[in-house]
Amino acid sequence: MDQATVDQLRALMEYEAARAAPPPTFPRLPDVPGGRYTDPRFAELERDQLWRKSWLFAGHMDEIPQHGCFKLWEAAGQPIVLVHARSGEVNAFYNTCSHRGAPVVTQESGRRARLTCKYHGWVYDDEGKLVSVRDPEDFVDLDFSCRSLRQVRCERYGKLIFVNFSADAPSLAEWLGPISDEWAEFRFDATRLVDHYVWDLDCNWKIAMEANMEVYHVPNIHPSTVALGLDHRRNVNSLYPHGHGRMIAPGWEKKEGENYRAANVGDCPRPEIDGVGEIGRTCTQSYNLFPNWVSPLGPTGYFVLNFWPNGPTRSKMEVWWFGPDWGEGPRPAFWDATITYLNSVLEEDTEFGKWIQKSQESYGFEGVPLSYQEARIYHWHQQADAMIGAERIPAELRVSPVIGPDWIVPNDPRLDGLPLQEAAE
């Protein structure tokens, strides 16, 4: 991030702190229909449209470090096997034998030279090609070339592995857009997988995710944790193409290490990612990638949250931790302290979810009136409707596309206002 961008963000922080109303040209946000959190019809549309067309984070190269290593991945409701091929690429296949549809892998992970179906012994290589079958003399004109494992689109950003079920979706680079360059300083190509676990939640997946897409709730939900290290009134939200968003909020004193990621780690030596700039060191810099990714990034490492539906009223929150390579031996004590602390923050966010779900299922809940501070949430819902197709959505469950391209990065009308110019001076 160059100095001009840093200065611009600092000026925007002061603009946000000084404003007495939303920016003059920012649209009024209509209520988000309540049924989007409770109605099985909308959950079905999400399943058939959002999850099939979006790039979904599926794993990290540390999980399949050598050729022949594989990992099962079923978070999106489809049986997928990720394979580290001899070519160095990662291939994703449906875990479905082309003979009778049995799985070719039944272990969560492992390493094999070939993938062999246990049912009848059909064998595939790491490119998914059928290489042998048992009793070939009993098949007539079996064409091996059209009996490969069915492949799923798979691309990488650094060591991160993404999959997409749609042949018509843009490339991962196009999907990320300018975020790809903004992430470069956080070294997704070099950071190591520190930890990975899943929480079961008693609420719709969007309720859980949206708690991590705004800071309006911070003073109430996190008074003794996040609120101590994050100045929510200076938070700057940015809206990106494809429904992505970013928030940048400074620590109260704008000093290195004064953000909440550094809280409660005691005297543990802090690892550092080389090259993280001023904003990354002194602010909470958090991204949401459509449809289900949230990640606050920092100089010592960071966590990524993925939210997955488990029916209309239940969900799973997948937590991934990444940090600088520490060499041989167990992970540094810094991580034990940091993960313990951040888990307490996540508990504050998620324990209220089941109560929200109950309330939203009541006769008294009709919709969500979002504030300007919660604009990233509305932007997400607009993208959801665009991807699903408004014509497929029952009229009472649609959102109005009121946020126009003038508010999508690289555009930002706040930059043209006199208060911002004065703040920059």
Side-chain angles (χ1 to χ4, degrees), residues 136-281:
E137 65 275 10
D138 288 335
F139 290 88
V140 178
D141 298 328
L142 180 64
D143 185 353
F144 279 35
S145 68
C146 63
R147 301 295 179 179
S148 299
L149 294 176
R150 187 176 173 189
Q151 196 152 9
V152 179
R153 290 180 67 184
C154 183
E155 296 185 26
R156 284 158 53 188
Y157 180 85
K159 290 185 176 182
L160 306 182
I161 304 166
F162 290 82
V163 300
N164 193 306
F165 298 106
S166 172
D168 299 322
S171 68
L172 178 60
E174 292 172 310
W175 183 255
L176 293 174
I179 290 176
S180 179
D181 291 336
E182 293 178 18
W183 278 2
E185 65 187 78
F186 296 100
R187 300 301 309 275
F188 281 103
D189 61 329
T191 46
R192 184 168 170 179
L193 178 60
V194 176
D195 209 342
H196 174 219
Y197 44 92
V198 178
W199 291 9
D200 290 307
L201 305 177
D202 293 321
C203 63
N204 183 275
W205 70 280
K206 295 186 296 298
I207 291 174
M209 180 178 69
E210 290 171 3
N212 292 273
M213 290 173 63
E214 45 88 2
V215 293
Y216 185 43
H217 73 287
V218 165
N220 284 65
I221 299 297
H222 308 295
S224 61
T225 53
V226 180
L228 300 180
L230 183 150
D231 184 353
H232 79 282
R233 289 303 305 176
R234 284 179 166 78
N235 178 55
V236 176
N237 284 322
S238 299
L239 309 178
Y240 290 78
H242 302 298
H244 311 322
R246 183 191 71 188
M247 61 157 277
I248 292 180
W252 284 106
E253 299 182 25
K254 301 181 184 178
K255 295 177 183 175
E256 185 170 334
E258 286 294 327
N259 52 61
Y260 75 89
R261 290 184 301 273
N264 289 5
V265 297
D267 297 324
C268 299
R270 298 175 62 206
E272 289 287 342
I273 299 171
D274 292 336
V276 175
E278 175 189 335
I279 294 297
R281 293 196 314 271

Side-chain angles (χ1 to χ4, degrees), residues 61 64-69 83-91 93 111-115 123-129 131 156:
M61 290 302 295
I64 49 173
Q66 300 171 292
H67 70 78
C69 290
V83 181
H84 188 157
R86 287 174 175 80
S87 66
E89 297 300 316
V90 175
N91 294 320
F93 308 106
R111 189 183 186 196
R112 296 180 189 169
R114 301 286 176 89
L115 301 177
V123 180
Y124 303 85
D125 66 15
D126 58 19
E127 298 296 335
K129 295 178 181 178
V131 294
R156 284 158 53 188

Side-chain angles (χ1 to χ4, degrees), residues 24 56 91 241 272 275 300 334 339 344 371 384 409:
L56 306 173
N91 294 320
E272 289 287 342
T300 59
F334 167 85
I339 291 173
S344 71
S371 69
V409 170

Side-chain angles (χ1 to χ4, degrees), residues 40 46 130 169 175 203 316 360 368 373:
E46 290 176 340
L130 179 64
W175 183 255
C203 63
K316 292 181 180 293
Q360 290 192 353
V368 179
Q373 290 189 49

